[in-house]
Amino acid sequence: MKPLKIDILTLFPEAFSALDCSIIKRARESGKVEINLINIRDFSKDKHKKCDDYPFGGGAGMLMSVQPIYDAVKSVKKRNSHIVFASPSGQTLNVDMAKQLATKKHLIFICGHYEGVDERVLELFKPQEISIGDYVLTGGEIPTMAIIDCLARFVPGVISEGSLGEESFSNGSLEYPQYTRPQTFKGLSVPEVLCNGNHGEIAKWRKEESEKRTKERRADLLK
């Protein structure tokens, strides 16, 4: 089975060191996910490798130019490529969206920076725009990493099916509380039901706690 190929187009490749740690690192080493970093600056035709400019009409800050991004995308784009752009204007990331992304053969992520990108990038490539929340960050690198970390967990073999099936949002609710040793710490004890070995009672308790936590913290999910 071929790995999910991910090309990340960014002005700051060094920002992605987090993708070489822990579970994502193992997924890369085992050949389940391939991640390549492409520096947009390498495609600038400006003698100083400049990739931004002042926006037409004025306004604060600088805008990433269309030409370097266009050429960077064209250098890796194939017929089966799916392009993603992290943007506050996009649809909010959720589990179903991550699962769909994990089924793609080739993902290209465009990372905006400064005040964003020239609108013609979006008009030319029509990427899937994804938001990770109703707030703005200094660039697209962090949300791109969040999206990749989320979707990579649904690539077959990266995370066990059992773990995926019981975590938050997998069945429309939040995950139940979990504990490990020691059984008592600072006067707080693990619920007795988790220690008695009765799997039926444990499953019942987990279901009840999951529903309780969801009702208290994310009642909107129950709708």
Side-chain angles (χ1 to χ4, degrees):
M1 181 177 177
K2 289 186 177 180
L4 167 60
K5 183 178 180 181
I6 300 174
D7 286 318
I8 303 171
L9 280 53
T10 174
L11 291 174
F12 302 97
E14 64 274 14
F16 289 88
S17 59
L19 294 180
D20 199 27
C21 301
S22 187
I23 293 171
I24 304 300
K25 179 181 180 180
R26 293 199 295 271
R28 297 175 72 177
E29 291 177 342
S30 64
K32 295 178 178 65
V33 178
E34 176 188 333
I35 300 177
N36 305 300
L37 296 169
I38 293 97
N39 194 330
I40 295 172
R41 208 173 298 279
D42 293 340
F43 295 86
S44 174
K45 294 180 180 178
D46 179 83
K47 65 179 181 179
H48 301 297
K49 295 299 180 182
K50 185 179 178 183
C51 291
D52 60 352
D53 211 331
Y54 294 101
F56 280 109
M62 304 288 279
L63 202 63
M64 287 182 67
S65 306
V66 60
Q67 176 272 312
I69 301 175
Y70 178 84
D71 288 346
V73 172
K74 295 294 284 186
S75 74
V76 293
K77 187 177 182 296
K78 303 292 190 295
R79 188 167 56 183
N80 66 350
S81 300
H82 184 78
I83 304 176
V84 178
F85 178 63
S87 166
S89 300
Q91 289 186 305
T92 304
L93 180 67
N94 58 34
V95 170
D96 290 337
M97 196 182 296
K99 287 179 179 179
Q100 282 296 315
L101 290 172
T103 67
K104 305 297 183 184
K105 304 293 185 184
H106 180 212
L107 293 171
I108 298 173
F109 284 85
I110 301 172
C111 297
H113 215 83
Y114 311 121
E115 289 299 312
V117 303
D118 188 305
E119 184 68 17
R120 288 168 291 187
V121 171
L122 309 183
E123 293 174 356
L124 288 165
F125 294 114
K126 295 179 172 52
Q128 180 179 1
E129 295 186 53
I130 299 177
S131 169
I132 62 167
D134 293 339
Y135 49 88
V136 178
L137 299 175
T138 56
E141 284 74 21
I142 289 175
T144 292
M145 279 189 280
I147 297 167
I148 291 173
D149 187 279
C150 183
L151 73 88
R153 303 173 76 257
F154 295 103
V155 173
V158 173
I159 297 287
S160 71
E161 290 293 327
S163 295
L164 291 173
E166 295 189 355
E167 63 188 12
S168 291
F169 309 111
S170 62
N171 57 3
S173 60
L174 301 182
E175 190 174 13
Y176 48 79
Q178 297 198 73
Y179 304 85
T180 187
R181 291 177 289 185
Q183 192 167 340
T184 300
F185 183 76
K186 298 288 185 180
L188 299 173
S189 297
V190 177
E192 186 61 34
V193 64
L194 299 178
C195 307
N196 65 16
N198 187 319
H199 296 293
E201 289 184 7
I202 291 172
K204 181 174 179 290
W205 179 88
R206 286 175 170 173
K207 184 175 184 296
E208 291 173 350
E209 289 297 314
S210 174
E211 292 173 351
K212 176 183 175 183
R213 176 168 288 188
T214 305
K215 186 176 181 179
E216 291 175 346
R217 303 183 183 184
R218 288 293 305 274
D220 58 295
L221 295 174
L222 301 176
K223 299 176 183 179

